[in-house]
Structure formats: C-alpha cells, structure tokens
C-alpha cells in the first residue's frame, strides 16, 4: 500500500472533499512512491479561505518574528537534507547529488529570506516641504497562489513561499503532480518550525483542477507561476481578465558559446553538466552549443565521445550520471524530436533513442543525445525539448555567436567560454538573457541574486535576491506632515 498524504489547509491535514486520490511513481522503476489527494476547485476554495483568515494575524506579526520561523524551518531542512533528497530523487528522477543541491537551494533561500525579516528595506527621502517626512514601506499583497513545476520541486517552491511569507503574505501552494512528496516535506518543515495554521496551505492535484481553482478565486491577489510557456501564457490571460498580478517563470532555450580561444576541456565539462544534468530537464539546460569554427571539429568529437560514456540509471545509484526523464509523455516528446532534427538536416552524432536493457526498461530513460551541424533556425535549435538533447551550431565570429544566442523566443540563461576579457565583456553586453555566465555552464544560480528570464521566458519579474521582494510586496508611500498647518505639495513649494 502506498503511503497516503493529505492536503494541508488551515493547519489541518485533510483529504480532498471528493475523497479522490492519485498516485505518483518512481520514473526510474515504476514503483509507487505515494498517494495524494486529487483536489478540485472546492478544495482550492477552502485553502484560499484559510489563507485569507490567517493573513489577518500574520501580516501584523512583526517581520523579525516571521523571519525566526523561517530560520527554524531552514534548520529542519538541514537536519532532513539526506532524507528529503532521496524522496526527491525517487519521485522525479534526478541523481542524488543534484537532489541534495535542490534541497540545499531551499535551505539557502530559507535562511536568506529569514534575514529579510530584519531588512525588507524601504526608502526614506527628504520632502519638498518643511516639517514633513516622506518614506515608502513594503506591504504584503495578500493571498498568493504558488504554482510550481516538478523539476526543482524543493527549490522552486521555496523561492516563492519564503519571500511571500516573510513579507506578510499567506500562501496557497499547488505543487506539480509529478513531485508531490517534496512539497509535503517542505510544508511539514514549516509546520514543525511553528508556522501558524493557514499561512501556507498545500493543495495537491492537477493543474486544470486544483490549480485553476486557485487562479479563479477573487481573494487571491497574486499568482506566482513557474512552468511551461503553454500553461503560463494561459494563466497570464486569465489573470489579466481577473485583474490580478502574475509573475511568470517559463521555458528556456539556453546556449553555451565556445570561442576559438576557450579552454576546451573546461568548456566540455560545462556543456556535459549543463546539457545532461537533471537529464536536461532544467529551465537553464544548455540545449544549444554555439562553437566557433576554429575549435568546432575538436569540440564536437570530444563532446560526442564523452556523451557516449555517460551512465544511465536510477538517480539513487551513486554511479549514475544521468537519471530517467520524468514521465512517459516527456519520453515520447523527446523521442519525437529525433526525426525532426534529422529531417531538418542536423546529424545525430550520439544517442537519439529510448534506452533499453540493464533494468532501464522499467523506467523512462532516453540516451544522452548530441546533434551536430545544426542550423540556428532548425526546430531542435529553437524549441524547448526538455530532455538530454543538445545541438551544436557552427559560427564564424563572436558577433555571429551573440546573434545566434539571441535568436530564439526565450531569454533565460547563456554562457560564454573565452580567455579574452574583452570578448567576455562584449558578450555580457550583447547577450539578451536574464543570466549570463562566463567560463561556467548555463546553470548554477545563487539565491541572493535575481533569477529569471527576458522575452518568452517571463513577464519581467525576477525571483530570488531582493528582487523577489518586489513581486511579493506593494509599495506604500507615507507622508507625515508635522507642521500643524495645511501644506500643499507643488503649490506651496
Ligand atoms: P507545466 O506548465 O506543465 O506545469 C507547471 C505547474 O502548473 C504544475 O503544478 C501544473 O499542475 C500546473 N498547471 C498545469 N495546467 C494548469 C492550469 N490550467 N491552471 C493552473 N495550473 C496549471 O510545467 P512542468 O512540466 O511542470 O515544468 C516544466 C516547465 O517548467 C519547462 O518549460 C521549464 O522550462 C519550466 N521551468 C521554468 C523555470 C524558470 O525559472 N524559468 C524553472 C523551472 C522550470
């Protein structure tokens, strides 16, 4: 019997009203990892009501006290890191060392946002009139709906929930149905840390059911969404119609540029890690490698050789390099791009098929794949595949590399390998993505800096860092006139 988990609403662990459930399986083995409530609109409404009620006291609790609860939650995450990492690997497949990184990112974010309880700085500024004081302070937006994907199931929810609650909001959290146990673990840690009931409410289930119920509820002021472009754009339209704010973090088609003067070995390591880490299922995955002509052939042959040596298997096996993809649909989607790449004229140089044998048939495994001689306009070089697939594109110059890098509908992460500081800075200036790395892969964001993308990746918001506070707070501007007489701004000045 699979272990049964419940929704967390108003500080109580409850089944969905309709009593329905769904099960999640380990994508490496097919074993059932847990059973969860299949929530619907009515459960989402219960959760929103609990969040509205809890907000009255929570927003009045001094922010440093709120921060202390986060600090205690971070300590619990530290204590449980190994167990939570194993749970995470079992439900979404990434290899254990990366799962530990996912938990660590949540730990870092929770400590960082705990500190914001004593910062969350506003501004004070001179007034244009005498005997008048002017300042702006951050105020919570109210109830926040957090809707998250499965690929960073502990880190991404923490990027949303921690800044939301430390600034006095309450939350209704709908995690992906493909990684529910990590959501449970995170919320349990907050409960154990002493978070009052109703401040974070957890509703498991499908997007179109539980998720839609949160979005549609008039008392939810802000939706913070991370996931695919198809879903995110639809949510943006809904939120526009309902007059609520929405922060979107969506897909990527990230590139690593390797110039002729690059340290090729370093660049190879960066590409392997960025293209095949998390089985290529990162929003920041390097699914394109833009290589300058002088080093292209050497780089391509070394990359193909290394890619063929990567070991597929369960992420719980410490010898595994690349775990399974998350589910059957994702496996089929990745496979569907193989004939697309070939018919567009790219050459398949490594991988290219669903993997079999050695126990892999029980799970969803795809061979790490390299296309060479891809052209920038090909679909494999334009669309987010979200699997262990990368495409090499040959260019003649730095300028062409930057143009190719920018020539996709997304704008999340880019990287350049070069030993020339002038070329590095030209790239930093010319690249139009939210994240730029020099002599490092496209992944490796740290929680105290802004994270997010330009163009099709997002809608201008940033997560993490103090930028996150801008999403989860509204500015309240305060004027205090202590002159004892009517003073008129712009008129008496
Ligand atoms: P997804 O869009 O399928 O699902 C994301 C979440 O939205 C899930 O919780 C899902 O249940 C919910 N959902 C689906 N339909 C909904 C609806 N109609 N109403 C409300 N909620 C709904 O994405 P996914 O497959 O879980 O995640 C992969 C995608 O996420 C990739 O495109 C990846 O690039 C993106 N991603 C982006 C970032 C970033 O920071 N830019 C980070 C991680 C993942």
């Amino acid at each position: 019997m699979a272990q049964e988990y419940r929704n967390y609403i108003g500080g109580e662990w409850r089944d969905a009203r309709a009593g329905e459930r769904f099960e999640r399986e380990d994508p490496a083995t097919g074993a059932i990892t847990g059973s969860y409530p299949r929530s619907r609109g009515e459960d989402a409404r219960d959760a929103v009501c609990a969040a509205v009620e809890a907000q009255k006291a929570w927003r009045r609790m001094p922010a440093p006290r709120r921060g202390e609860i986060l600090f205690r939650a971070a300590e619990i995450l530290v204590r449980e890191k190994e167990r939570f990492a194993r749970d995470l690997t079992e439900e979404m497949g990434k290899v254990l060392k990366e799962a530990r990184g996912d938990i660590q990112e949540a730990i870092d974010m929770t400590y960082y946002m705990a500190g914001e309880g004593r910062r969350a700085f506003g501004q004070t500024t001179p007034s244009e009139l005498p005997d008048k004081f002017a300042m702006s302070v951050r105020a919570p937006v109210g109830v926040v709906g957090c809707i998250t994907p499965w690929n960073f199931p502990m880190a991404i929810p923490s990027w949303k929930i921690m800044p939301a609650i430390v600034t006095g909001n309450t939350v209704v959290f709908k995690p992906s149905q493909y990684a529910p146990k990590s959501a449970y673990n995170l919320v349990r840690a907050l409960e154990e840390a002493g978070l009052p009931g109703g401040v974070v409410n957890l509703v498991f289930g499908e997007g179109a059911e539980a998720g839609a119920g949160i979005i549609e509820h008039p008392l939810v002021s802000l939706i913070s969404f991370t996931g695919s472009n198809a879903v995110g754009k639809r949510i943006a339209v809904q939120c526009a119609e309902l007059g609520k704010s929405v922060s979107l973090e969506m897909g990527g088609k990230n590139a690593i540029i390797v110039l002729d003067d690059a340290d090729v070995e370093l660049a190879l390591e960066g590409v392997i890690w960025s293209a095949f880490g998390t089985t290529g299922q990162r929003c920041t995955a390097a699914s394109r490698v833009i290589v300058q002509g002088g080093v292209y052939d050497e780089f391509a042959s070394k990359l193909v050789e290394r890619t063929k040596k990567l070991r597929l298997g369960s992420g719980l096996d410490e010898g595994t390099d690349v775990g399974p993809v998350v589910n059957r649909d994702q496996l089929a989607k990745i496979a569907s791009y193989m004939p697309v790449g070939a018919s567009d004229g790219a050459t398949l140089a490594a991988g290219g098929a669903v993997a079999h044998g050695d126990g892999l048939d029980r799970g969803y495994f795809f061979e790490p794949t390299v296309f060479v001689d891809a052209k920038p306009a090909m679909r494999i070089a334009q669309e987010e595949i979200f699997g262990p697939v990368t495409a090499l594109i040959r260019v003649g110059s730095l300028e062409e590399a930057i143009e190719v890098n920018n020539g996709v509908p997304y704008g999340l992460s880019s990287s350049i390998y070069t030993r020339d500081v002038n070329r590095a800075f030209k790239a930093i200036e010319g690249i139009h993505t939210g994240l730029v790395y020099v002599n490092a892969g496209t992944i490796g964001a740290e929680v105290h800096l802004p994270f997010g993308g330009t163009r099709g990746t997002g809608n201008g918001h940033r997560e993490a860092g103090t930028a996150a506070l801008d999403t989860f707070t509204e500015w309240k501007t305060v004027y205090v006139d202590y002159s004892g007489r009517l003073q008129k701004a712009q008129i008496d000045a």
Side-chain angles (χ1 to χ4, degrees):
M1 265 287 279
Q3 187 170 347
E4 292 194 347
Y5 295 86
R6 294 190 166 71
N7 288 336
Y8 186 60
I9 297 179
E12 286 172 19
W13 295 94
R14 300 188 204 166
D15 282 319
R17 277 183 185 258
E20 293 174 289
R21 299 197 142 263
F22 69 95
E23 289 181 333
R24 175 61 187 144
E25 61 178 347
D26 179 341
T29 63
I32 300 300
T33 56
S35 157
Y36 301 86
R38 180 170 171 175
S39 313
R40 300 196 179 259
E42 58 205 9
D43 304 298
R45 278 193 291 280
D46 289 346
V48 175
C49 289
V52 170
E53 196 48 40
Q55 226 248 322
K56 293 173 193 161
W58 182 247
R59 68 182 298 150
R60 299 200 65 248
M61 182 186 281
R65 299 284 90 77
R66 296 195 294 253
E68 284 162 18
I69 296 174
L70 265 66
F71 190 88
R72 286 200 293 276
E75 305 273 90
I76 293 163
L77 295 175
V78 170
R79 186 190 76 205
E80 301 295 340
K81 180 174 172 181
E82 191 59 26
R83 182 166 70 86
F84 288 177
R86 297 187 84 82
D87 283 349
L88 192 152
T89 292
E90 264 177 5
E91 68 177 356
M92 61 68 66
K94 72 173 66 168
V95 298
L96 203 47
K97 67 172 183 286
E98 292 185 53
R100 293 184 188 116
D102 203 314
I103 312 299
Q104 187 59 45
E105 206 166 312
I107 292 168
D108 294 345
M109 181 58 86
T110 308
Y111 277 132
Y112 177 68
M113 285 297 162
E116 283 303 326
R118 286 193 182 268
R119 284 189 298 266
F121 296 134
Q123 298 145 342
T124 57
T125 179
S127 166
E128 64 189 45
L129 291 166
D131 299 328
K132 192 176 169 191
F133 191 86
M135 62 184 162
S136 56
V137 296
R138 291 185 183 275
V141 298
V143 175
V144 176
C146 297
I147 300 179
T148 56
W150 47 264
N151 65 335
F152 280 83
M154 183 67 85
I156 290 177
S158 78
W159 293 358
K160 300 181 185 304
I161 292 172
M162 302 312 168
I165 62 178
V166 80
T167 49
N169 302 283
T170 53
V171 164
V172 180
F173 168 32
K174 209 298 284 173
S176 168
Q177 57 273 41
Y178 298 110
K181 197 180 290 184
S182 297
Y184 168 81
N185 286 338
L186 184 63
V187 172
R188 260 300 284 133
L190 285 164
E191 183 193 31
E192 189 189 333
L195 192 75
V199 173
V200 171
N201 303 275
L202 171 62
V203 183
F204 293 108
E206 303 272 333
E209 297 171 354
I214 299 168
I215 293 164
E216 286 158 13
H217 200 292
L219 295 180
V220 175
S221 310
L222 163 70
I223 298 294
S224 176
F225 169 85
T226 300
S228 63
N229 282 64
V231 174
K233 281 183 182 167
R234 201 176 325 137
I235 289 176
V237 171
Q238 273 181 291
C239 288
E241 283 171 349
L242 295 166
K244 53 182 76 177
S245 313
V246 59
S247 149
L248 302 172
E249 288 293 341
M250 302 181 288
K253 190 70 190 172
N254 315 289
I256 292 180
I257 297 171
V258 183
L259 296 185
D260 284 349
D261 65 358
D263 177 337
V264 168
E265 291 303 316
L266 188 67
L268 277 167
E269 280 181 59
V271 170
I272 293 279
W273 174 233
S274 304
F276 304 125
T278 315
T279 321
Q281 303 168 114
R282 294 174 182 232
C283 51
T284 51
S287 53
R288 298 180 297 154
V289 189
I290 302 166
V291 189
Q292 202 174 1
V295 77
Y296 183 94
D297 291 337
E298 178 195 353
F299 189 87
S301 75
K302 285 185 169 168
L303 179 63
V304 167
E305 190 189 314
R306 291 208 191 177
T307 301
K308 286 180 174 167
K309 288 189 184 142
L310 293 172
R311 270 196 51 198
L312 282 169
S314 162
L316 292 176
D317 177 349
E318 295 278 1
T320 295
D321 296 309
V322 180
V325 301
V326 72
N327 58 33
R328 190 182 300 280
D329 287 350
Q330 195 55 30
L331 193 67
K333 180 183 169 196
I334 297 162
S336 75
Y337 274 95
M338 300 303 113
V340 170
S343 68
D344 279 354
T347 304
L348 185 62
V354 173
H356 296 291
D358 289 339
L360 301 180
D361 296 279
R362 291 182 299 151
Y364 308 120
F365 291 93
F366 200 87
E367 295 169 352
T369 297
V370 178
F371 279 103
V372 297
D373 299 337
K375 296 282 178 270
M378 288 179 181
R379 281 184 59 199
I380 55 164
Q382 287 287 323
E383 298 175 13
E384 186 183 50
I385 300 172
F386 224 54
V389 181
T390 199
L392 263 63
I393 301 168
R394 185 193 298 261
V395 290
S397 64
L398 170 64
E399 291 67 30
E400 188 186 352
I402 293 172
E403 198 180 314
V404 171
N405 179 85
N406 292 343
V408 291
Y410 302 98
L412 186 52
S413 185
S414 308
S415 131
I416 179 160
Y417 280 84
T418 176
R419 288 184 169 110
D420 181 333
V421 68
N422 293 352
R423 301 174 101 198
F425 271 90
K426 283 207 167 85
I428 293 168
E429 187 188 292
I431 284 173
H432 189 23
T433 52
L435 305 162
V436 182
Y437 293 87
V438 177
N439 293 328
T442 46
I443 57 190
E446 299 179 27
V447 301
H448 51 299
L449 287 100
F451 180 95
T454 62
R455 294 173 284 146
T457 293
N459 63 343
H461 292 270
R462 291 290 182 274
E463 299 202 310
T466 50
L469 303 181
D470 294 333
T471 301
F472 294 105
T473 58
E474 286 184 300
W475 285 112
K476 183 181 285 183
T477 305
V478 182
Y479 299 102
V480 180
D481 190 318
Y482 53 96
S483 69
R485 61 183 190 280
L486 176 65
Q487 296 201 91
K488 303 186 211 79
Q490 289 88 41
I491 293 166
D492 293 350

